[in-house]
């Protein structure tokens, strides 16, 4: 299923003039690179680390789906920038009583927040919130649509691994995204981010989970992992999202065809790096030996997350 089309929802001004980040697809390559350069400054500069451009402000984290890495890193990023993070979980919110996403966003804005970070199970929820408020809205994952900050993390980590942070040009690299692509918001954002930086993207999975329609958003689709492995420079493994109705038949059959285990890792180029946005289901999509191997950069992805989210908060809310 192709990504939802939301015209003008990247860093272009939204319906009320706010600078939102709702997807990668509507960003230009220049804006992607700008955010990755800002990320690098937060990782490598003590001067950047000491800046508190959001001092005295509030950031609302509205999470209506479970999250560990994304939620904690947005909270850490807000505090690093001098802001106070206001955390709201779905089960304890008025949404559980029937309140709309738009009204919840308006309530957060009325409390004086400078930005809203939203995760929700419905595709398009971030756009609904953005249309309802004047403050910036940052999409932390909406249904099957997009997860833009995760894609920025993934692109940064690959560029870093190949020594390309200076130019942020990934031309000549082939990135494989493997698994449940039909239900993955990370996959859609990754396709857009890697393509914007010049990489070739191939999406690999079972026929039901890797539909040919994905080719409309800038990738090639394959159903044969073993055939693709020797040509990859980076491989992103995805979790099978059964909570979204993913159908894989038996776990055993899936792992036999699409798990990254020691046999398949031996088929990769020596320089190929392994990624996973988490949470990992060990021994299903990736074996523990590969997850814990030096070529797997999953913990670097987690570490870079705070800097990416700090860069995003500054870009969206720094001048509010």
């Amino acid at each position: 299923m192709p990504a939802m089309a939301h015209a003008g929802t990247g860093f272009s001004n939204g319906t009320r003039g706010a600078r939102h980040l709702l997807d990668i697809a509507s960003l230009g390559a220049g804006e992607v690179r700008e955010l990755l350069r800002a990320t690098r400054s937060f990782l490598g500069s003590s001067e950047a680390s000491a800046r508190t451009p959001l001092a005295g402000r509030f950031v609302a984290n509205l999470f209506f789906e479970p999250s560990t890495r994304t939620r904690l890193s947005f909270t850490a990023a807000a505090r690093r920038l001098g802001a106070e993070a206001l955390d709201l979980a779905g089960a304890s919110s008025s949404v559980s009583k029937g309140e709309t996403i738009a009204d919840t966003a308006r309530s957060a804005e009325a409390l004086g927040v400078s930005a809203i970070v939203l995760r929700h199970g419905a595709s398009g929820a971030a756009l609904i919130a953005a249309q309802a408020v004047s403050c910036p809205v940052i999409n932390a994952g909406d249904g099957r649509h997009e997860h833009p900050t995760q894609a920025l993390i993934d692109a940064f980590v690959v560029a870093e691994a190949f020594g390309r942070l200076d130019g942020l040009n990934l031309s000549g690299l082939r990135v494989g995204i493997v698994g449940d692509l039909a239900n993955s918001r990370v996959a859609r954002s990754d396709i857009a981010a890697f393509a914007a930086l010049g990489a070739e993207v191939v999406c690999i999975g079972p026929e039901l989970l890797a539909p040919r329609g994905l080719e409309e958003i800038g990738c090639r689709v394959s159903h044969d992992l073993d055939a693709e492995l020797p040509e990859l420079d980076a491989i992103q493994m995805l979790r099978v999202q059964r909570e979204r109705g993913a159908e894989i038949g038996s776990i055993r059959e899936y792992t036999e065809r699409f798990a990254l285990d020691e046999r398949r890792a031996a088929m990769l180029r020596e320089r190929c790096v392994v990624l996973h946005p988490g949470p990992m289901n060990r021994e299903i999509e990736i074996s523990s030996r590969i997850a814990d191997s030096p070529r797997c950069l999953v913990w670097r992805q987690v570490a870079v997350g705070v800097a990416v989210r700090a860069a995003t908060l500054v870009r969206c809310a720094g001048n509010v």
Side-chain angles (χ1 to χ4, degrees):
M1 180 186 301
M4 292 176 60
H6 295 327
T9 56
F11 277 126
S12 57
N13 289 338
T15 55
R16 298 194 181 190
R19 180 174 271 183
H20 308 298
L21 177 56
L22 305 185
D23 57 36
I24 294 292
S26 62
L27 294 182
E31 290 177 306
V32 172
R33 290 189 172 95
E34 182 179 347
L35 274 169
L36 297 182
R37 290 189 191 99
T39 296
R40 187 179 186 183
S41 74
F42 277 108
L43 280 173
S45 168
S46 58
E47 180 180 345
S49 298
R51 289 191 287 121
T52 55
L54 302 186
R57 300 186 191 180
F58 296 100
V59 173
N61 289 333
L62 308 183
F63 277 64
F64 300 100
E65 285 188 321
S67 172
T68 299
R69 287 154 292 277
T70 302
R71 183 172 177 173
L72 288 177
S73 62
F74 266 114
T75 297
R79 292 178 179 174
R80 181 174 176 179
L81 298 170
E84 183 69 26
L86 306 178
D87 293 320
L88 177 67
S92 59
S93 75
S94 293
V95 169
S96 64
K97 303 175 184 178
E99 183 175 71
T100 67
I101 288 296
D103 283 347
T104 299
R106 292 185 186 106
S107 294
E109 182 180 39
L111 291 172
V113 304
S114 293
I116 293 172
V117 179
L118 178 68
R119 169 169 285 194
H120 197 278
S123 300
L127 178 61
I128 290 170
Q131 291 174 331
V133 298
S134 298
C135 65
V137 173
I138 298 170
N139 183 4
D142 62 335
R144 297 177 176 87
H145 175 221
E146 279 215 35
H147 192 351
T149 57
Q150 182 64 51
L152 294 170
I153 292 168
D154 301 338
F156 185 96
V157 168
V158 171
E160 181 181 57
F162 286 90
R164 300 197 183 188
L165 286 179
D166 287 338
L168 290 169
N169 187 332
L170 302 184
S171 296
L173 297 183
R174 180 175 295 173
V175 178
I177 306 175
V178 181
D180 183 3
L181 294 129
N183 295 294
S184 177
R185 54 199 175 203
V186 171
R188 284 165 175 74
S189 291
D190 272 354
I191 292 167
F194 283 119
L197 298 179
E200 178 187 348
V201 181
V202 54
C203 291
I204 310 158
E207 288 77 359
L208 288 176
L209 300 183
R212 291 288 175 185
L214 285 168
E215 294 180 341
E216 297 175 17
I217 57 175
C219 68
R220 179 169 60 82
V221 172
S222 170
H223 305 304
D224 188 343
L225 178 58
D226 288 357
E228 302 292 343
L229 288 172
E231 303 301 319
L232 298 180
D233 300 292
I235 182 169
Q236 170 91 299
M237 305 304 298
L238 300 174
R239 179 177 63 88
V240 175
Q241 299 189 42
R242 290 185 162 184
E243 73 277 14
R244 300 194 196 282
E247 297 181 8
I248 61 171
S250 73
I251 291 292
R252 180 178 179 180
E253 180 184 356
Y254 180 85
T255 58
E256 285 178 351
R257 292 184 64 194
F258 296 103
L260 185 63
D261 54 18
E262 294 91 322
R263 179 185 70 83
R264 288 198 168 100
M267 300 169 66
L268 294 169
R269 293 174 173 175
E270 184 178 352
R271 68 178 187 174
C272 183
V273 294
V274 177
L275 296 90
H276 196 303
M280 291 186 289
N281 288 322
R282 291 170 181 255
E283 312 309 332
I284 297 180
E285 68 262 9
I286 187 169
S287 73
S288 285
R289 287 192 178 182
I290 302 306
D292 296 331
S293 69
R295 74 159 76 218
C296 185
L297 304 181
V298 60
W299 305 120
R300 183 57 177 167
Q301 289 171 276
V302 175
V304 168
V306 175
V308 163
R309 276 126 193 176
T312 301
L313 284 168
V314 170
R315 184 77 169 87
C316 290
N319 295 319
V320 174

